[in-house]
Amino acid sequence: MTRLTSTRLADGRELIYFDDPGSPERDPRSLVDHRDLPPRADPGELRYDALSGEWVAVAAHRQSRTHLPPADQCPICPTTPANPSEIPAPDYDVVVFENRFPSLGPAVGSTPDAPSWGTSGPAFGRCEVVSFTPKHTGSFAELGETRARTVIEAWAHRTEALSALPGVRQVFPFENRGAEIGVTLHHPHGQIYAYPYVTPRAASLGAEAGKHFDDSKGRESLTSSILKAELQDGRRMVLEAEHFSAYVPFAARWPLEVHLVPHRQVPDLAALTGSERDELAHVYLDLLKRLDALYPTPTPYISAWHQAPLDPALRQSGHLHLQLTSPRRAADKLKYLAGSEAAMGAFINDTTPESVAARLRSVAGGSTRAGKTTTGIPEGASA
C-alpha cells in the first residue's frame, strides 16, 4: 500500500509525501521546513465575463513565480544544504503540495450568485503541484510501473480530498510537458486545480453527455457510446486492455490527440478500483512511450484528466477520460492556435486521425491483431 505522510511547510501550506509500497518509514526530520518564508498572499481575483458567461482568474502575483531555474536551484528537487527547496526531505517518491504561486486560493469558497457585468470576487480554490520523482531530469514515461501507480494513488486521493472542500465544483489533474507547452519547471511534475466553478470546456462536454444520458434513459454514457463506436470501427484504436482502451477521436482537434477511457463508467480517478488503477499505470506509460517514439526528440504534450464536475446534474452522466494532446505536427513543426482556433474556437487539424492512430499502433512495441493494438496484457488478466 502507498504510505501517506502529511506535513506543513514554513508558510502553512500542506505537503503530502506519497511513498511507494515497501518504502521505509519516513524520517520525522523530513517533515520539517526550516526556511523563513513570508506569509501567504491573499487570493487573486475572479472576474465575470458577461459576454461569454465565463469566469476569468486574475492572478498578477504569478508574474514573480520561478521560471526555468537551473538544476541546482530547482524548487521541487529534494532539499540539500545548498538548495532548501519546497520539499524538506533529502529524498522522496511522489510529493503533492500547495502551489506557492496559485492561480486559485489559498482560501476556498463559492463564486458570487447571479453574476453580471462588473461582478468579481476572490479567486477561491486550490492549486497543487504533483512531483512525480525526485530526479530533476526525465519524464513520466520513464517512471517504473510502481512509481506510476503511486502517482495515480496521489491523483485519486487528492481528487477525493479536494472535492470535499467548500465551494469546489470541479477537480482537474493535468500535466504540461515541454518548453513548447510553456512549462516553468523542467523537473517532471503535474498540477491539480480545484475550481470554484464548472470550467467552460467541462460545461460544454457535460451538456452533450447529459443529453445523451437522458435520451438513453440513463442506460449509457456518451463516452461509453463513443468508445463502442470506435471499437467497432477499429481504424483509430491505439490499444485495448481489460479495463481501458485508447483511441484517436474521430474528430480530433490536435495533430496528436489520444483519449484513454475506462470501460466502466466512473466519474473520477477516486472511483477506480485497485485493479483498474493497476492497469492504468501500465497503459498510461504505454501511451506516453508511444508518443515519444514518434519523433527523434521528446514530444511536448498536455495530459488532461476530464473528471465529472461535482454538480449532480453533470455528475450522473460524467465518464472519466484522459485527453492527451500535442501541438506537434511534424518533427520540426508545431501547430499554433491562430485566428480560427483562438478567436472562434473552430479547430482545423493538420493530420488525419486514422494516420495518427496507425503510427501510434506501430511504435513502442505491443502486439497487433485485427487492426487493433493491445498492451500485451492477456485477455481477462490485470496488469
Side-chain angles (χ1 to χ4, degrees), residues 114-188:
S116 60
W117 183 90
T119 299
S120 65
F124 290 134
R126 179 73 69 87
C127 293
E128 297 184 339
V129 177
V130 185
S131 183
F132 305 142
T133 171
K135 297 180 180 178
H136 183 71
T137 58
S139 69
F140 195 112
E142 296 174 25
L143 302 180
E145 286 192 28
T146 297
R147 178 60 51 77
R149 178 66 170 78
T150 299
V151 175
I152 292 167
E153 199 65 29
W155 286 335
H157 177 277
R158 299 314 299 154
T159 291
E160 184 172 18
L162 295 174
S163 296
L165 293 178
V168 169
R169 299 186 63 194
Q170 181 183 340
V171 178
F172 174 48
F174 64 100
E175 180 194 359
N176 299 325
R177 188 275 186 98
E180 300 89 341
I181 297 297
V183 298
T184 56
L185 296 175
H186 291 302
H187 193 119

Side-chain angles (χ1 to χ4, degrees), residues 8-13 32-39 86 88:
R8 292 282 172 177
L9 297 175
D11 56 4
R13 286 175 293 138
V32 181
D33 182 6
H34 295 285
R35 296 174 299 170
D36 182 17
L37 297 178
E86 293 278 69

Side-chain angles (χ1 to χ4, degrees), residues 235-279:
R235 289 175 295 167
R236 290 169 297 278
M237 293 304 301
V238 177
L239 61 84
E240 182 182 356
E242 180 184 359
H243 301 297
F244 288 85
S245 290
Y247 58 87
V248 178
F250 174 77
R253 298 176 173 214
W254 294 92
L256 293 174
E257 181 171 350
V258 183
H259 291 192
L260 176 62
V261 178
H263 298 164
R264 187 170 66 93
Q265 182 188 354
V266 294
D268 54 30
L269 290 157
L272 294 174
T273 65
S275 59
E276 287 169 333
R277 296 180 193 188
D278 290 343
E279 184 177 277

Side-chain angles (χ1 to χ4, degrees), residues 145-376:
E145 286 192 28
T146 297
R147 178 60 51 77
R149 178 66 170 78
T150 299
V151 175
I152 292 167
E153 199 65 29
W155 286 335
H157 177 277
R158 299 314 299 154
T159 291
E160 184 172 18
L162 295 174
S163 296
L165 293 178
V168 169
R169 299 186 63 194
Q170 181 183 340
V171 178
F172 174 48
F174 64 100
E175 180 194 359
N176 299 325
R177 188 275 186 98
E180 300 89 341
I181 297 297
V183 298
T184 56
L185 296 175
H186 291 302
H187 193 119
H189 72 288
Q191 300 178 68
I192 306 175
Y193 276 22
Y195 298 97
Y197 54 87
V198 177
T199 60
R201 181 66 174 159
S204 174
L205 296 179
E208 293 301 316
K211 182 178 182 299
H212 181 92
F213 194 76
D214 291 342
D215 289 346
S216 71
K217 299 199 168 33
R219 292 190 298 267
E220 181 184 56
S221 74
L222 178 58
T223 298
S224 295
S225 172
I226 291 172
L227 174 59
K228 185 187 301 182
E230 291 289 2
L231 284 166
Q232 290 174 347
D233 185 288
R235 289 175 295 167
R236 290 169 297 278
M237 293 304 301
V238 177
L239 61 84
E240 182 182 356
E242 180 184 359
H243 301 297
F244 288 85
S245 290
Y247 58 87
V248 178
F250 174 77
R253 298 176 173 214
W254 294 92
L256 293 174
E257 181 171 350
V258 183
H259 291 192
L260 176 62
V261 178
H263 298 164
R264 187 170 66 93
Q265 182 188 354
V266 294
D268 54 30
L269 290 157
L272 294 174
T273 65
S275 59
E276 287 169 333
R277 296 180 193 188
D278 290 343
E279 184 177 277
L280 178 56
H282 182 92
V283 297
Y284 184 44
L285 286 171
D286 181 283
L287 273 183
L288 295 181
K289 289 174 182 176
R290 289 174 189 269
L291 209 64
D292 272 349
L294 292 176
Y295 298 107
T297 56
T299 293
Y301 64 75
I302 295 175
S303 176
W305 287 100
H306 289 261
Q307 305 194 107
L310 298 171
D311 184 334
L314 299 174
R315 197 162 182 82
Q316 66 173 351
S317 59
H319 192 141
L320 169 73
H321 65 281
L322 171 74
Q323 182 186 35
L324 184 62
T325 61
S326 175
R328 194 172 199 176
R329 59 188 178 88
D332 58 348
K333 295 183 178 66
L334 297 175
K335 175 181 180 63
Y336 294 96
L337 299 190
S340 185
E341 292 92 354
M344 291 291 103
F347 276 71
I348 302 166
N349 198 346
D350 302 299
T351 61
T352 64
E354 292 75 18
S355 65
V356 171
R359 292 184 64 203
L360 287 168
R361 285 196 300 267
S362 70
V363 297
S367 56
T368 304
R369 72 171 193 274
K372 294 183 289 187
T373 300
T374 73
T375 61

Side-chain angles (χ1 to χ4, degrees), residues 7 16 19 100 240 290 344:
T7 188
I16 306 173
D19 292 319
R100 189 176 176 185
E240 182 182 356
R290 289 174 189 269
M344 291 291 103

Side-chain angles (χ1 to χ4, degrees), residues 21-40:
S23 297
E25 292 286 342
R26 183 153 291 282
D27 188 333
R29 290 175 295 182
S30 70
L31 308 181
V32 181
D33 182 6
H34 295 285
R35 296 174 299 170
D36 182 17
L37 297 178
R40 301 190 70 183

